[in-house]
Amino acid sequence: MIRYKKLAAAAIANTLEGVSEEDVFGLLEYPPNPEMGDLSMPCFKLSKALRKAPQAIAEGLKEQFSEDAFERAEAVSGYLNLFLDKSKFAVDLIGDILSAGDTYGSADIGKGQSVVIDYSSPNIAKPFHIGHLRSTVIGNALRKIHAFLGFNVVGVNHLGDWGTQFGKLIVAYQKWGNAEKVEAEGITELLRLYVYFHEQAEKEPALEDEARAWFTSLERGDAEAFKLWQWFVDISLKEFEKIYSLLNVSFDAFTGESFYMDKMGPVIERMKELNLLEEDEGTMLVRLDEFNMPPALMLKKDGSSLYHTRDMAAALYRKDTYHFVKSLYVTSYAQNLHFQQLFKVIEKMGYDWADQLIHVPFGQVSLEGASLSTRKGNVVMLEDLLNQAIAKTREIIETKNANLENKDEVARQVGVGAIIFNDLYSNRIKDVVFSWEEALNFDGETGPYAQYTHARACSVLRKAGNGESIDLPAGVTAATLNPALLQNPEAQGVLSELARFGERVEQAMEKLEPSIISRYVIDVCQAFNRFYHGCPILVDDIELRNARLALVKCVQITLRNGLALIGLETPEKI
Ligand code: ARG
């Protein structure tokens, strides 16, 4: 629809003095129902500038409006309502979708610009929990959305692989650990040691000092500490990789916190030169009183670094290395203050790109009311969750379609899709309660429903052709179809949804909100299912059949592209 909006905006702006095409573009709306046209211009918004009553403006515009893509204009209650030439519109749109295929909906507005996205970023030696899942799926979606719009995207996994917890882990391992057990059980055993450390430290606070001392040794490059640390990292990464491969998610850089080991010194020096660092009872901090924020701690008493220090170094490194226009951090809103402080410190250092740093917060996830703190060991292991979803989907497939060929692969695609979609369906800032019934429901507003609708479109296309391929039968093209056969409300409903895809992608990018795509996908599914139930497709009348088939193909392409943007695969058979 962007194209039609632009055409309409140009035609309207042409007849108005002192109002630009961009202004008009920004004012054009989609009317709530088809009787009010395909695009509408609320003229009261121009009343002041033009010193005229809205209805008079609308009537004036109606008189002068001329643009081939539209068959007519009406002036109603201060609105200029524009009606597309439905035949032209259908042919153009179907032609666009069929020729663009995988790239339908994409654009090049990000060309030549880099965006860094810091997502997932789990902590070494701790399980990948459901909060990291949210970061992973939101970040992955933002990455795909930006790439689809032509940005050069750098996906960064800022692994939590540095910090005092490694001191604790080293102490715990040396006192109570055993190498075979760690090798055999991986993160589970490391976590057990970590939890046990906290239990013991409550009784014996000296353990905390021991742990701090070990971390300080690690920061100073002590060989033994380093060797253990590297081992913990390798073990954890191996497990994280399993999850990334189930989710089909990847990164461009695994630059965790430890990567900034040798990059923090210069940043600290610079802060000192700028007189920003203040000593406070042995620690070093940056005051942020003027922003009503608590100070940002940069160095502990023993001189060791903190989460903040490493994020400072990371922000500078990313700017120098990737020259980003936007650098995103996808984490729970529990870290709001951390990022506000971080960005303010960067600003205080005089970097004019501080406003390109953007925190993308999201709400907490709970699973049937369970709280998800790592320390107490009360965690939901994400791998378990994914495997359960896959197993449950496998059972559903067994009852619904026992003859499906690659049941295991489809169960993975749909099971994992259910979890991802569930996470991306609400505004990211909302807290989510995970429920199996909801997530795996094939009829609700879910991933399986969307994937199933896509598979339904594939099935129609297969039946229309040779039984295998989902390509349109030879000779069915936009140029040869009869658009008059797509004038009924169901077909029009589908076309108008399909036309909005590109805009939804841009909105999702601007608002950093993948749920705009998830919701859009559901809208397309619902419009398509109304069409599918209301308009038989494989009819004998070949002209009607071909027109409807072309529409089905366009739905299939749009659903596949939309679902891919939020990280869902689209099996052709379910
Ligand atoms: N490791 C952190 C956590 O699990 C998230 C890191 C987010 N990224 C960052 N640059 N601070 O909470």
PDB file of all heavy atoms in Angstrom, residues 32-56:
ATOM      1  N   PRO A  32     -11.675   2.409   8.523  1.00  0.00           N
ATOM      2  CA  PRO A  32     -12.034   1.196   9.261  1.00  0.00           C
ATOM      3  C   PRO A  32     -12.885   0.220   8.447  1.00  0.00           C
ATOM      4  O   PRO A  32     -12.913  -0.968   8.752  1.00  0.00           O
ATOM      5  CB  PRO A  32     -12.800   1.717  10.472  1.00  0.00           C
ATOM      6  CG  PRO A  32     -13.187   3.120  10.134  1.00  0.00           C
ATOM      7  CD  PRO A  32     -12.200   3.626   9.140  1.00  0.00           C
ATOM      8  N   ASN A  33     -13.622   0.672   7.442  1.00  0.00           N
ATOM      9  CA  ASN A  33     -14.342  -0.315   6.633  1.00  0.00           C
ATOM     10  C   ASN A  33     -14.368   0.068   5.158  1.00  0.00           C
ATOM     11  O   ASN A  33     -14.207   1.244   4.807  1.00  0.00           O
ATOM     12  CB  ASN A  33     -15.743  -0.581   7.199  1.00  0.00           C
ATOM     13  CG  ASN A  33     -16.666   0.610   7.028  1.00  0.00           C
ATOM     14  OD1 ASN A  33     -16.903   1.065   5.913  1.00  0.00           O
ATOM     15  ND2 ASN A  33     -17.164   1.119   8.140  1.00  0.00           N
ATOM     16  N   PRO A  34     -14.572  -0.935   4.295  1.00  0.00           N
ATOM     17  CA  PRO A  34     -14.392  -0.736   2.855  1.00  0.00           C
ATOM     18  C   PRO A  34     -15.322   0.323   2.243  1.00  0.00           C
ATOM     19  O   PRO A  34     -14.962   0.942   1.237  1.00  0.00           O
ATOM     20  CB  PRO A  34     -14.687  -2.104   2.240  1.00  0.00           C
ATOM     21  CG  PRO A  34     -14.747  -3.079   3.362  1.00  0.00           C
ATOM     22  CD  PRO A  34     -14.892  -2.330   4.634  1.00  0.00           C
ATOM     23  N   GLU A  35     -16.503   0.548   2.873  1.00  0.00           N
ATOM     24  CA  GLU A  35     -17.398   1.582   2.290  1.00  0.00           C
ATOM     25  C   GLU A  35     -16.748   2.957   2.341  1.00  0.00           C
ATOM     26  O   GLU A  35     -17.152   3.875   1.640  1.00  0.00           O
ATOM     27  CB  GLU A  35     -18.727   1.692   3.050  1.00  0.00           C
ATOM     28  CG  GLU A  35     -19.663   0.531   2.881  1.00  0.00           C
ATOM     29  CD  GLU A  35     -19.386  -0.524   3.936  1.00  0.00           C
ATOM     30  OE1 GLU A  35     -19.873  -0.350   5.066  1.00  0.00           O
ATOM     31  OE2 GLU A  35     -18.673  -1.504   3.629  1.00  0.00           O
ATOM     32  N   MET A  36     -15.786   3.115   3.211  1.00  0.00           N
ATOM     33  CA  MET A  36     -15.139   4.415   3.341  1.00  0.00           C
ATOM     34  C   MET A  36     -13.874   4.516   2.501  1.00  0.00           C
ATOM     35  O   MET A  36     -13.064   5.420   2.686  1.00  0.00           O
ATOM     36  CB  MET A  36     -14.827   4.680   4.820  1.00  0.00           C
ATOM     37  CG  MET A  36     -16.099   4.761   5.649  1.00  0.00           C
ATOM     38  SD  MET A  36     -15.764   4.354   7.355  1.00  0.00           S
ATOM     39  CE  MET A  36     -15.752   5.977   8.044  1.00  0.00           C
ATOM     40  N   GLY A  37     -13.729   3.590   1.578  1.00  0.00           N
ATOM     41  CA  GLY A  37     -12.601   3.679   0.664  1.00  0.00           C
ATOM     42  C   GLY A  37     -11.397   2.899   1.131  1.00  0.00           C
ATOM     43  O   GLY A  37     -11.438   2.199   2.146  1.00  0.00           O
ATOM     44  N   ASP A  38     -10.324   3.022   0.369  1.00  0.00           N
ATOM     45  CA  ASP A  38      -9.092   2.285   0.674  1.00  0.00           C
ATOM     46  C   ASP A  38      -8.077   3.160   1.397  1.00  0.00           C
ATOM     47  O   ASP A  38      -7.208   2.667   2.094  1.00  0.00           O
ATOM     48  CB  ASP A  38      -8.480   1.753  -0.620  1.00  0.00           C
ATOM     49  CG  ASP A  38      -9.424   0.808  -1.322  1.00  0.00           C
ATOM     50  OD1 ASP A  38      -9.653  -0.285  -0.783  1.00  0.00           O
ATOM     51  OD2 ASP A  38      -9.986   1.177  -2.375  1.00  0.00           O
ATOM     52  N   LEU A  39      -8.208   4.461   1.174  1.00  0.00           N
ATOM     53  CA  LEU A  39      -7.353   5.416   1.877  1.00  0.00           C
ATOM     54  C   LEU A  39      -8.211   6.616   2.195  1.00  0.00           C
ATOM     55  O   LEU A  39      -9.148   6.927   1.474  1.00  0.00           O
ATOM     56  CB  LEU A  39      -6.198   5.876   0.977  1.00  0.00           C
ATOM     57  CG  LEU A  39      -4.978   4.978   0.853  1.00  0.00           C
ATOM     58  CD1 LEU A  39      -4.045   5.532  -0.205  1.00  0.00           C
ATOM     59  CD2 LEU A  39      -4.249   4.835   2.194  1.00  0.00           C
ATOM     60  N   SER A  40      -7.849   7.289   3.268  1.00  0.00           N
ATOM     61  CA  SER A  40      -8.694   8.401   3.664  1.00  0.00           C
ATOM     62  C   SER A  40      -7.838   9.512   4.253  1.00  0.00           C
ATOM     63  O   SER A  40      -6.849   9.254   4.934  1.00  0.00           O
ATOM     64  CB  SER A  40      -9.687   7.852   4.691  1.00  0.00           C
ATOM     65  OG  SER A  40     -10.463   8.902   5.172  1.00  0.00           O
ATOM     66  N   MET A  41      -8.272  10.745   3.960  1.00  0.00           N
ATOM     67  CA  MET A  41      -7.500  11.885   4.417  1.00  0.00           C
ATOM     68  C   MET A  41      -8.371  12.709   5.367  1.00  0.00           C
ATOM     69  O   MET A  41      -9.378  13.282   4.944  1.00  0.00           O
ATOM     70  CB  MET A  41      -7.146  12.693   3.167  1.00  0.00           C
ATOM     71  CG  MET A  41      -6.685  14.045   3.460  1.00  0.00           C
ATOM     72  SD  MET A  41      -4.897  13.993   3.513  1.00  0.00           S
ATOM     73  CE  MET A  41      -4.647  15.718   3.487  1.00  0.00           C
ATOM     74  N   PRO A  42      -8.029  12.752   6.661  1.00  0.00           N
ATOM     75  CA  PRO A  42      -8.812  13.531   7.618  1.00  0.00           C
ATOM     76  C   PRO A  42      -8.498  15.021   7.423  1.00  0.00           C
ATOM     77  O   PRO A  42      -7.429  15.484   7.817  1.00  0.00           O
ATOM     78  CB  PRO A  42      -8.319  13.043   8.979  1.00  0.00           C
ATOM     79  CG  PRO A  42      -7.023  12.351   8.736  1.00  0.00           C
ATOM     80  CD  PRO A  42      -6.834  12.144   7.277  1.00  0.00           C
ATOM     81  N   CYS A  43      -9.427  15.766   6.819  1.00  0.00           N
ATOM     82  CA  CYS A  43      -9.111  17.139   6.408  1.00  0.00           C
ATOM     83  C   CYS A  43      -9.088  18.122   7.574  1.00  0.00           C
ATOM     84  O   CYS A  43      -8.541  19.210   7.453  1.00  0.00           O
ATOM     85  CB  CYS A  43     -10.087  17.597   5.335  1.00  0.00           C
ATOM     86  SG  CYS A  43      -9.899  16.614   3.838  1.00  0.00           S
ATOM     87  N   PHE A  44      -9.685  17.723   8.720  1.00  0.00           N
ATOM     88  CA  PHE A  44      -9.648  18.674   9.853  1.00  0.00           C
ATOM     89  C   PHE A  44      -8.210  18.949  10.284  1.00  0.00           C
ATOM     90  O   PHE A  44      -7.912  19.974  10.853  1.00  0.00           O
ATOM     91  CB  PHE A  44     -10.509  18.166  11.017  1.00  0.00           C
ATOM     92  CG  PHE A  44     -10.041  16.880  11.617  1.00  0.00           C
ATOM     93  CD1 PHE A  44      -9.149  16.894  12.679  1.00  0.00           C
ATOM     94  CD2 PHE A  44     -10.496  15.656  11.131  1.00  0.00           C
ATOM     95  CE1 PHE A  44      -8.723  15.702  13.238  1.00  0.00           C
ATOM     96  CE2 PHE A  44     -10.061  14.460  11.692  1.00  0.00           C
ATOM     97  CZ  PHE A  44      -9.166  14.484  12.738  1.00  0.00           C
ATOM     98  N   LYS A  45      -7.325  18.018   9.962  1.00  0.00           N
ATOM     99  CA  LYS A  45      -5.932  18.240  10.325  1.00  0.00           C
ATOM    100  C   LYS A  45      -5.279  19.345   9.492  1.00  0.00           C
ATOM    101  O   LYS A  45      -4.187  19.806   9.806  1.00  0.00           O
ATOM    102  CB  LYS A  45      -5.132  16.944  10.202  1.00  0.00           C
ATOM    103  CG  LYS A  45      -5.666  15.857  11.122  1.00  0.00           C
ATOM    104  CD  LYS A  45      -4.598  14.896  11.602  1.00  0.00           C
ATOM    105  CE  LYS A  45      -5.137  14.037  12.727  1.00  0.00           C
ATOM    106  NZ  LYS A  45      -4.653  12.673  12.692  1.00  0.00           N
ATOM    107  N   LEU A  46      -5.942  19.717   8.393  1.00  0.00           N
ATOM    108  CA  LEU A  46      -5.389  20.782   7.541  1.00  0.00           C
ATOM    109  C   LEU A  46      -6.132  22.092   7.743  1.00  0.00           C
ATOM    110  O   LEU A  46      -5.763  23.131   7.182  1.00  0.00           O
ATOM    111  CB  LEU A  46      -5.489  20.380   6.065  1.00  0.00           C
ATOM    112  CG  LEU A  46      -4.587  19.230   5.614  1.00  0.00           C
ATOM    113  CD1 LEU A  46      -4.933  18.846   4.186  1.00  0.00           C
ATOM    114  CD2 LEU A  46      -3.120  19.618   5.718  1.00  0.00           C
ATOM    115  N   SER A  47      -7.217  22.019   8.500  1.00  0.00           N
ATOM    116  CA  SER A  47      -8.101  23.160   8.682  1.00  0.00           C
ATOM    117  C   SER A  47      -7.365  24.431   9.070  1.00  0.00           C
ATOM    118  O   SER A  47      -7.578  25.494   8.495  1.00  0.00           O
ATOM    119  CB  SER A  47      -9.100  22.846   9.782  1.00  0.00           C
ATOM    120  OG  SER A  47     -10.346  22.694   9.224  1.00  0.00           O
ATOM    121  N   LYS A  48      -6.497  24.279  10.057  1.00  0.00           N
ATOM    122  CA  LYS A  48      -5.823  25.453  10.582  1.00  0.00           C
ATOM    123  C   LYS A  48      -4.895  26.059   9.536  1.00  0.00           C
ATOM    124  O   LYS A  48      -4.969  27.253   9.241  1.00  0.00           O
ATOM    125  CB  LYS A  48      -5.019  25.062  11.836  1.00  0.00           C
ATOM    126  CG  LYS A  48      -5.090  26.131  12.901  1.00  0.00           C
ATOM    127  CD  LYS A  48      -4.562  25.602  14.214  1.00  0.00           C
ATOM    128  CE  LYS A  48      -3.731  26.691  14.880  1.00  0.00           C
ATOM    129  NZ  LYS A  48      -2.895  26.133  15.936  1.00  0.00           N
ATOM    130  N   ALA A  49      -4.084  25.217   8.956  1.00  0.00           N
ATOM    131  CA  ALA A  49      -3.109  25.697   7.974  1.00  0.00           C
ATOM    132  C   ALA A  49      -3.800  26.336   6.769  1.00  0.00           C
ATOM    133  O   ALA A  49      -3.343  27.354   6.243  1.00  0.00           O
ATOM    134  CB  ALA A  49      -2.213  24.553   7.533  1.00  0.00           C
ATOM    135  N   LEU A  50      -4.908  25.744   6.348  1.00  0.00           N
ATOM    136  CA  LEU A  50      -5.569  26.248   5.124  1.00  0.00           C
ATOM    137  C   LEU A  50      -6.688  27.244   5.437  1.00  0.00           C
ATOM    138  O   LEU A  50      -7.309  27.776   4.514  1.00  0.00           O
ATOM    139  CB  LEU A  50      -6.132  25.078   4.309  1.00  0.00           C
ATOM    140  CG  LEU A  50      -5.103  24.041   3.835  1.00  0.00           C
ATOM    141  CD1 LEU A  50      -5.813  22.888   3.122  1.00  0.00           C
ATOM    142  CD2 LEU A  50      -4.066  24.658   2.904  1.00  0.00           C
ATOM    143  N   ARG A  51      -6.971  27.428   6.718  1.00  0.00           N
ATOM    144  CA  ARG A  51      -8.047  28.343   7.146  1.00  0.00           C
ATOM    145  C   ARG A  51      -9.360  28.063   6.418  1.00  0.00           C
ATOM    146  O   ARG A  51      -9.971  28.946   5.809  1.00  0.00           O
ATOM    147  CB  ARG A  51      -7.649  29.805   6.867  1.00  0.00           C
ATOM    148  CG  ARG A  51      -6.439  30.240   7.643  1.00  0.00           C
ATOM    149  CD  ARG A  51      -5.850  31.449   6.969  1.00  0.00           C
ATOM    150  NE  ARG A  51      -4.710  31.937   7.711  1.00  0.00           N
ATOM    151  CZ  ARG A  51      -4.759  32.939   8.580  1.00  0.00           C
ATOM    152  NH1 ARG A  51      -5.876  33.556   8.816  1.00  0.00           N
ATOM    153  NH2 ARG A  51      -3.668  33.313   9.203  1.00  0.00           N
ATOM    154  N   LYS A  52      -9.733  26.804   6.481  1.00  0.00           N
ATOM    155  CA  LYS A  52     -10.969  26.413   5.803  1.00  0.00           C
ATOM    156  C   LYS A  52     -11.627  25.292   6.607  1.00  0.00           C
ATOM    157  O   LYS A  52     -10.922  24.542   7.305  1.00  0.00           O
ATOM    158  CB  LYS A  52     -10.626  25.830   4.423  1.00  0.00           C
ATOM    159  CG  LYS A  52     -10.992  26.736   3.235  1.00  0.00           C
ATOM    160  CD  LYS A  52     -10.369  26.168   1.995  1.00  0.00           C
ATOM    161  CE  LYS A  52     -11.289  26.012   0.822  1.00  0.00           C
ATOM    162  NZ  LYS A  52     -10.523  25.467  -0.323  1.00  0.00           N
ATOM    163  N   ALA A  53     -12.918  25.162   6.473  1.00  0.00           N
ATOM    164  CA  ALA A  53     -13.603  24.084   7.183  1.00  0.00           C
ATOM    165  C   ALA A  53     -13.228  22.737   6.556  1.00  0.00           C
ATOM    166  O   ALA A  53     -13.028  22.664   5.347  1.00  0.00           O
ATOM    167  CB  ALA A  53     -15.110  24.287   7.106  1.00  0.00           C
ATOM    168  N   PRO A  54     -13.158  21.671   7.379  1.00  0.00           N
ATOM    169  CA  PRO A  54     -12.734  20.365   6.862  1.00  0.00           C
ATOM    170  C   PRO A  54     -13.540  19.894   5.641  1.00  0.00           C
ATOM    171  O   PRO A  54     -12.971  19.441   4.653  1.00  0.00           O
ATOM    172  CB  PRO A  54     -12.959  19.424   8.046  1.00  0.00           C
ATOM    173  CG  PRO A  54     -12.957  20.296   9.254  1.00  0.00           C
ATOM    174  CD  PRO A  54     -13.388  21.659   8.821  1.00  0.00           C
ATOM    175  N   GLN A  55     -14.880  20.014   5.740  1.00  0.00           N
ATOM    176  CA  GLN A  55     -15.687  19.503   4.628  1.00  0.00           C
ATOM    177  C   GLN A  55     -15.417  20.289   3.345  1.00  0.00           C
ATOM    178  O   GLN A  55     -15.378  19.723   2.250  1.00  0.00           O
ATOM    179  CB  GLN A  55     -17.180  19.516   5.008  1.00  0.00           C
ATOM    180  CG  GLN A  55     -18.118  18.970   3.937  1.00  0.00           C
ATOM    181  CD  GLN A  55     -17.857  17.483   3.594  1.00  0.00           C
ATOM    182  OE1 GLN A  55     -17.149  16.762   4.303  1.00  0.00           O
ATOM    183  NE2 GLN A  55     -18.410  17.046   2.461  1.00  0.00           N
ATOM    184  N   ALA A  56     -15.183  21.598   3.485  1.00  0.00           N
ATOM    185  CA  ALA A  56     -14.873  22.415   2.299  1.00  0.00           C
ATOM    186  C   ALA A  56     -13.541  21.970   1.689  1.00  0.00           C
ATOM    187  O   ALA A  56     -13.410  21.866   0.460  1.00  0.00           O
ATOM    188  CB  ALA A  56     -14.813  23.892   2.675  1.00  0.00           C
TER     189      ALA A  56
END
